[in-house]
Amino acid sequence: IACNVNGGVIKALASDSNSLDGLNSSVVFCDELHAWQDSNLYDVMVDSEVARQQPLTLITTTAGFVRAGIYDTKIDEYEQILAGYDDEQGYKDPRRLPILYRLDSEKEWTDQRNWIKANPGLGTIRSLSKLAEDVNRAKADPGKVKNLLTKFFDLPQTGVDHYLSPEEISNKDTFDAAD
């Protein structure tokens, strides 16, 4: 998309960070950061804004299944910033505004009253009845829980094959996870 008034351009770029040096971006929009394999592309894109007086980087993403990548790095940073608001000595970064919509714990996914935490547009953007169907389907098929937790409640997981609830992991009658 081109803007003839100011010469601005909006375009999707390839994911090969080696071919993107030399950009001079005003705005960088990173979509589905959970799927990015490493930080190289993110670093190239953010560094491309260095000459701008008011650069803007937007990240939108659900959680994912890739652990210890750029997603986890950014989430850790944003959690530190959010915690820093309540801690006088905490980490602060006035150039970042993290907004995280997710459940507080995996234990909350079956209680409809908690769904709004991870779905602020519930009832408008996302259908409440459709989410209820998805939750009921996951209750009936534990194999669907990990994907539901990740994509609808923004709780990172390590894989999609198996799911054990916190109660099953710490079932002291058969196994004590604390041992």
Side-chain angles (χ1 to χ4, degrees):
I1 301 173
C3 178
N4 296 330
V5 174
N6 64 7
V9 176
I10 297 173
K11 63 181 173 179
L13 300 174
S15 62
D16 180 9
S17 60
N18 293 326
S19 66
L20 297 175
D21 284 328
L23 293 174
N24 186 13
S25 304
S26 297
V27 176
V28 171
F29 184 74
C30 306
D31 190 30
E32 297 304 348
L33 193 67
H34 71 86
W36 294 28
Q37 297 301 312
D38 57 46
S39 65
N40 292 340
L41 180 58
Y42 178 84
D43 293 340
V44 167
M45 296 307 300
V46 172
D47 289 348
S48 77
E49 297 176 309
V50 71
R52 300 298 180 156
Q53 289 184 0
Q54 296 181 329
L56 179 62
T57 302
L58 299 167
I59 300 171
T60 60
T61 188
T62 57
F65 302 103
V66 176
R67 310 295 345 130
I70 183 66
Y71 171 87
D72 285 341
T73 300
K74 298 314 292 179
I75 290 295
D76 288 347
E77 176 186 355
Y78 299 149
E79 287 174 342
Q80 287 179 20
I81 292 169
L82 291 170
Y85 288 121
D86 294 329
D87 180 357
E88 195 171 302
Q89 303 301 315
Y91 174 59
K92 312 248 186 317
D93 187 341
R95 296 180 56 90
R96 306 263 188 280
L97 176 61
I99 302 171
L100 305 176
Y101 294 111
R102 63 181 174 195
L103 295 183
D104 296 320
S105 133
E106 287 187 11
K107 295 177 181 179
E108 296 180 332
W109 71 274
T110 58
D111 186 346
Q112 183 175 331
R113 294 172 297 182
N114 294 316
W115 299 351
I116 194 76
K117 294 178 186 178
N119 298 277
L122 192 59
T124 56
I125 297 170
R126 176 166 286 151
S127 162
L128 176 61
S129 62
K130 175 68 171 94
L131 183 55
E133 287 174 22
D134 292 336
V135 167
N136 286 332
R137 199 170 295 115
K139 285 178 183 177
D141 181 357
K144 297 187 182 310
V145 174
K146 280 192 168 204
N147 190 64
L148 180 88
L149 291 175
T150 303
K151 301 304 173 190
F152 295 102
F153 297 122
D154 207 33
L155 296 172
Q157 301 293 303
T158 56
V160 294
D161 294 339
H162 305 288
Y163 176 77
L164 293 174
S165 70
E167 293 79 18
E168 290 169 316
I169 290 172
S170 187
N171 183 342
K172 291 183 172 56
D173 293 337
T174 57
F175 176 78
D176 189 351
D179 288 342

